Amino acid sequence: GFGGFDFSGAQGFGNSNGKASIKNTITDAIAMYDYLIYKQIARSENISLFGYSYGGAIAIELALKRKVHAILLESTFSSLRDIAISQYSFLASLLVSNDLLNSKKNIKRINVPVVIAYAGNDQIIPIAQSKNLFTSANPPKYLFEIKNAQHQNIFNFVTDEYIKLIKKKLL
């Protein structure tokens, strides 16, 4: 089956306590995964990850550390440094470690089916970053444009064609 992680309960998100940080979010993702396995709620071959925007980078980090069936990424940046360049400047990007959430590098080490979707009118994450992730991913891999969508409303533009792709390639 396709089970995604909801990070609204992660440290510093939603109503949870703790501090929101990259390290804490990755730690929380691993803890959620390990809980599912330990409680025998799911087996690794039945766990697929869904990551939207920042959550996509966390899903890739989790897939590096734990066995999963597949990954679905929506509007995910190729690296934290790349997003710093696009949102601020090259100079600002030099303050970001090149190893910090470097999804285009990390995805090369993952060998499960991956669907990378992007909003056709994304004003936050440049479309080129999704295409860079796709280029870096190992097959089987699939790239899908969610037409007319922007970053914040991508869920409103999901089509039957997209759902069929997910069911056929990831389930």
Side-chain angles (χ1 to χ4, degrees):
F2 190 83
F5 287 110
D6 174 5
F7 291 104
S8 61
Q11 295 179 63
F13 290 89
N15 294 322
S16 71
N17 295 323
K19 180 181 176 194
S21 71
I22 292 168
K23 182 181 176 191
N24 286 348
T25 307
I26 294 168
T27 299
D28 288 346
I30 292 168
M32 286 187 281
Y33 178 99
D34 289 348
Y35 178 83
L36 292 173
I37 300 301
Y38 175 75
K39 290 290 191 175
Q40 298 181 345
I41 296 168
R43 296 191 322 244
S44 60
E45 61 269 18
N46 295 329
I47 296 176
S48 293
L49 305 177
F50 167 73
Y52 164 74
S53 194
Y54 168 71
I58 301 303
I60 291 169
E61 291 283 338
L62 178 57
L64 285 175
K65 295 167 177 51
R66 299 293 187 268
K67 183 180 175 189
V68 299
H69 173 71
I71 305 172
L72 171 60
L73 305 171
E74 285 183 0
S75 291
T76 298
F77 51 82
S78 50
S79 77
L80 211 50
R81 182 174 275 183
D82 289 347
I83 204 66
I85 290 170
S86 74
Q87 294 294 318
Y88 302 104
S89 69
F90 176 75
L91 210 52
S93 77
L94 297 176
L95 301 173
V96 178
S97 166
N98 198 37
D99 288 331
L100 198 59
L101 296 184
N102 190 338
S103 296
K104 67 185 174 191
K105 175 183 165 190
N106 292 339
I107 203 167
K108 291 177 183 180
R109 297 172 39 210
I110 298 169
N111 291 296
V112 300
V114 61
V115 170
I116 299 170
Y118 61 93
N121 296 324
D122 200 319
Q123 74 287 12
I124 306 293
I125 307 294
I127 292 169
Q129 292 198 26
S130 292
K131 292 181 178 179
N132 286 343
L133 270 180
F134 177 76
T135 300
S136 296
N138 293 308
K141 59 184 179 178
Y142 310 90
L143 185 65
F144 191 89
E145 177 185 354
I146 299 177
K147 293 179 173 49
N148 302 314
Q150 295 181 344
H151 191 79
Q152 294 91 339
N153 69 2
I154 194 168
F155 303 111
N156 296 333
F157 291 87
V158 169
T159 62
D160 288 342
E161 178 186 10
Y162 181 51
I163 299 299
K164 285 178 187 173
L165 172 70
I166 293 168
K167 287 180 177 178
K168 183 175 180 183
K169 303 301 182 182
L170 298 184
L171 298 182

